[in-house]
Amino acid sequence: MKGKKSSAAGVVAIGAATLLLAMAACTGGTPQESTPPESMTAQESTPTPQSSTPTDQVSQACASADRFADAVSEFRATLKSEASLEQIRLARDEVNASFDALVTDARDLAQDRVDEVKASVDDLRAAIDAIPDDSAVPEAIVSLRDETADVRAALQDLRRDLAC
């Protein structure tokens, strides 16, 4: 009977060793390690949010630049002698909204160029705000077209730096 106990103990020992080796292979560790390696612990215990890659950030900034360019083009299209001050201000509001999105998306990628676009947009805003409510729009159109051209030039520089 003594032989059966020692062979049973040997089988249990071999089974336990096999189990430990199998577990070590699954965790990438050795049988003596009781915790997974640090890199696995960090990955499993604290899921990281999906951070956007630089390529994703540039793509988003370029899409915002496209929307802003469209808004500026639509604004420029309103600059006709028959346009009302209200139409110009509504178009300005679209420029402002798309500009805010552009600043949010591009500020970490090309801050200097964003600042240039901001300065030109501020000049355009000031020119629109300077139009008296009782003035004729045709008098302001030339100035607004010049300001719009400055915005477009600054936007082109930004888009070139972003490689859109």
Side-chain angles (χ1 to χ4, degrees):
M1 195 105 30
K2 187 175 184 182
K4 285 188 179 183
K5 282 187 180 180
S6 60
S7 67
V11 169
V12 170
I14 291 173
T18 304
L19 180 61
L20 286 174
L21 288 173
M23 288 175 51
C26 291
T27 62
T30 62
Q32 289 84 16
E33 294 178 347
S34 60
T35 59
E38 185 177 323
S39 62
M40 287 183 66
T41 303
Q43 290 173 354
E44 292 173 0
S45 64
T46 55
T48 55
Q50 292 293 334
S51 61
S52 58
T53 65
T55 303
D56 292 341
Q57 291 173 336
V58 170
S59 295
Q60 181 64 36
C62 288
S64 292
D66 290 344
R67 285 188 296 276
F68 179 66
D70 290 345
V72 170
S73 293
E74 290 173 21
F75 175 82
R76 185 161 167 71
T78 65
L79 299 178
K80 299 177 183 172
S81 58
E82 65 272 5
S84 71
L85 187 54
E86 182 63 24
Q87 289 171 315
I88 291 173
R89 287 184 175 154
L90 286 172
R92 175 205 54 197
D93 293 344
E94 290 298 318
V95 168
N96 287 338
S98 61
F99 173 71
D100 291 342
L102 174 62
V103 169
T104 299
D105 293 336
R107 71 176 163 239
D108 293 334
L109 302 171
Q111 184 62 49
D112 291 342
R113 291 296 185 192
V114 170
D115 290 343
E116 289 174 15
V117 175
K118 183 181 183 322
S120 64
V121 168
D122 287 345
D123 291 344
L124 176 62
R125 289 173 178 161
I128 294 168
D129 292 341
I131 302 170
D133 290 339
D134 60 350
S135 77
V137 172
E139 296 169 9
I141 288 178
V142 172
S143 171
L144 294 177
R145 284 185 181 155
D146 291 344
E147 298 297 338
T148 304
D150 292 345
V151 170
R152 287 174 139 178
L155 179 60
Q156 279 182 318
D157 291 343
L158 173 64
R159 294 177 82 196
R160 184 181 55 246
D161 281 5
L162 292 174
C164 294

